[in-house]
Amino acid sequence: MNILITGCNGQLGNEMQRLEKQYTAHTYFNTDVADLDITDHEAVYSFVDRHCIDGIVNCAAYTAVDKAEDNGPLCQLLNATAPGYLAQAIEKRGGWIVQISTDYVFDGTNHIPYVETDHVCPNSVYGRTKLAGEQAVIGACRRSMIIRTAWLYSTFGNNFVKTMLRLGHEKAELGVIFDQIGTPTYARDLAMSIFTAIEQGIRPGVYHFSNEGVTSWYDFTKAIHRLAGITTCRVRPLHTAEYPTPAMRPHYSVLDKTKIKQTYNIEIPYWEESLEECVLQLINQE
């Protein structure tokens, strides 16, 4: 197959590029905005046709959650309109698309893990535009797979793990929110699950993926520092009200992964095991 991967310079896109070397039966077109502007309808159609694309993995998105509150039109363009263009273009070729979505489509008021059929109710610009992206893709392409994920991190780009490592070395004390509950996702584990789906055949629908287990941002930070051997920074638990942000965060966004595990017969690593792998890599890069 000829597979288009958008957003190749982001966390997930970079992990896709690293892993694609194991799947040499396919030809990959790794693009970012300099190679393909996915907000340009004609450019998308032309690229997909010219390169005879069979499938698309859309890793591109506007992910600055707080800045999105003041940049609604741009966020809508990147997170909803552009995925619609990709889905329309690949539908014309009878192909498939994997669209990456987010736990922010939920309002976070649940007390048990969210399943794919739970009511969606985003309470931020980012969440609303990502939900609109899901709907645009599903509406345009019959062979569409939506994967909602959460708390993404990797050795690439800027993310929570890297920030906490840096602050742990720089500060004697750090306050981190303890009353928002979810599950971290190592981008490499997500990339591996996407390749598994591609190899077995894309089965349309909405799926959830994060690592296994549950934690808070506070406990996540404590684990990051413990694994990195950081002992000089005291981490204090904060209530959400003590750290106001422009965008509302879901207080509880644990995702149930039963569907994707059963559909593709995959085992998902525990979040702290994957975190240890990532932290060790980051330390070795220093």
Side-chain angles (χ1 to χ4, degrees):
M1 290 185 289
N2 292 330
I3 299 173
L4 166 62
I5 299 176
T6 64
C8 71
N9 290 332
Q11 294 189 80
L12 181 57
N14 267 298
E15 294 290 3
M16 293 291 292
Q17 287 188 79
R18 288 182 65 171
L19 288 172
E20 70 188 31
K21 298 177 181 64
Q22 302 175 22
Y23 301 92
T24 55
H26 310 305
T27 300
Y28 298 92
F29 296 84
N30 298 295
T31 67
D32 214 271
V33 65
D35 314 292
L36 173 63
D37 180 0
I38 62 171
T39 67
D40 184 331
H41 187 263
E42 292 185 3
V44 168
Y45 270 68
S46 174
F47 190 100
V48 169
D49 284 338
R50 187 168 69 254
H51 296 289
C52 300
I53 300 299
D54 300 297
I56 299 173
V57 181
N58 182 29
C59 304
Y62 187 108
T63 57
V65 175
D66 288 324
K67 290 182 180 179
E69 293 297 307
D70 296 320
N71 291 279
L74 177 58
C75 200
Q76 177 74 15
L77 181 63
L78 287 168
N79 290 348
T81 306
Y85 292 161
L86 292 167
Q88 291 163 21
I90 199 64
E91 173 67 12
K92 284 186 66 178
R93 290 190 49 80
W96 51 263
I97 181 170
V98 176
Q99 168 69 12
I100 308 303
S101 192
T102 175
D103 59 319
Y104 277 71
V105 301
F106 300 113
D107 62 10
T109 57
N110 253 24
H111 61 279
I112 57 174
Y114 282 97
V115 296
E116 290 81 358
T117 53
D118 279 336
H119 177 65
V120 288
C121 185
N123 53 21
S124 66
V125 170
Y126 172 68
R128 287 191 290 273
T129 60
K130 290 297 286 183
L131 177 58
E134 290 186 12
Q135 295 165 341
V137 168
I138 291 171
C141 181
R142 286 166 292 180
R143 298 177 65 195
S144 58
M145 179 182 185
I146 309 297
I147 304 180
R148 295 174 182 149
T149 191
W151 297 26
L152 197 69
Y153 70 91
S154 74
T155 57
F156 299 100
N158 298 314
N159 56 66
F160 186 81
V161 172
K162 285 187 172 183
T163 300
M164 292 304 106
L165 286 172
R166 176 176 56 80
L167 293 177
H169 289 296
E170 294 175 355
K171 295 182 175 292
E173 187 173 288
L174 190 61
V176 183
I177 291 171
F178 80 96
D179 58 357
Q180 291 176 19
I181 307 300
T183 309
T185 306
Y186 186 23
R188 185 168 303 174
D189 292 335
L190 175 55
M192 289 179 67
S193 75
I194 293 170
F195 278 113
T196 297
I198 291 171
E199 291 303 299
Q200 293 185 19
I202 296 298
R203 300 172 203 177
V206 178
Y207 298 83
H208 288 170
F209 185 95
S210 67
N211 282 111
E212 296 284 22
V214 177
T215 191
S216 70
W217 293 110
Y218 167 79
D219 294 294
F220 190 19
T221 302
K222 294 284 284 186
I224 293 166
H225 286 189
R226 183 178 68 255
L227 291 168
I230 296 172
T231 58
T232 55
C233 179
R234 174 175 175 259
V235 182
R236 294 184 298 105
L238 295 179
H239 289 90
T240 296
E242 297 177 80
Y243 191 79
T245 56
M248 290 182 64
R249 265 73 172 171
H251 275 273
Y252 183 94
S253 61
V254 180
L255 302 175
D256 186 297
K257 281 83 67 175
T258 302
K259 182 179 178 181
I260 198 167
K261 288 190 290 186
Q262 292 183 346
T263 301
Y264 292 103
N265 192 30
I266 59 174
E267 290 188 12
I268 301 176
Y270 176 59
W271 70 268
E272 196 163 339
E273 293 170 359
S274 292
L275 175 63
E276 182 176 15
E277 180 183 328
C278 182
V279 168
L280 288 175
Q281 285 193 50
L282 288 169
I283 292 172
N284 291 332
Q285 290 175 9
E286 292 177 353

